[in-house]
Amino acid sequence: MKNLLLIITAVAVLALVGCGKSEPSKPVIESVESLVANPERLKDLRAQCKADHARMGDAQCDAVAEATRQRFMSGGQSPYASDPVPPPVAPASSPIAADAKD
């Protein structure tokens, strides 16, 4: 009888431990490099960080901000690079300045 009570108690304890709350899994944070390589995903995450920063978390929103900065500041070819930019014109001596000297 004593053994039966011990076995039932042990089974009940194991059942309760097995049904306990598990820790919530931490969200996977996408790396800056993967976001730089995938502009559509970066755009989606930027919108989500803007809408609900607390839910997205600081780490993910910081990665999104850094990926956005890297894409913006990348050394890629500018669409305006082929536009000729004339050199600055040296100021000519103005007739007003010449009259002031006289």
Side-chain angles (χ1 to χ4, degrees):
M1 188 67 168
K2 202 187 231 185
N3 288 338
L4 182 59
L5 184 58
L6 184 61
I7 291 174
I8 291 174
T9 305
V11 170
V13 168
L14 289 176
L16 289 175
V17 169
C19 295
K21 290 185 179 179
S22 62
E23 292 184 26
S25 62
K26 295 186 179 190
V28 176
I29 297 183
E30 296 188 39
S31 69
V32 173
E33 294 80 18
S34 69
L35 293 173
V36 168
N38 189 350
E40 287 299 317
R41 181 67 179 148
L42 177 60
K43 183 179 176 182
D44 291 342
L45 286 177
R46 282 181 63 205
Q48 290 176 17
C49 283
K50 186 176 180 180
D52 193 2
H53 185 91
R55 184 180 65 82
M56 293 298 293
D58 285 339
Q60 182 64 69
C61 290
D62 288 346
V64 167
E66 179 61 21
T68 301
R69 187 196 67 76
Q70 284 184 14
R71 285 188 53 84
F72 182 77
M73 299 300 286
S74 68
Q77 185 69 19
S78 168
Y80 306 107
S82 62
D83 291 344
V85 177
V89 178
S93 60
S94 69
I96 298 172
D99 288 339
K101 289 182 183 178
D102 292 336

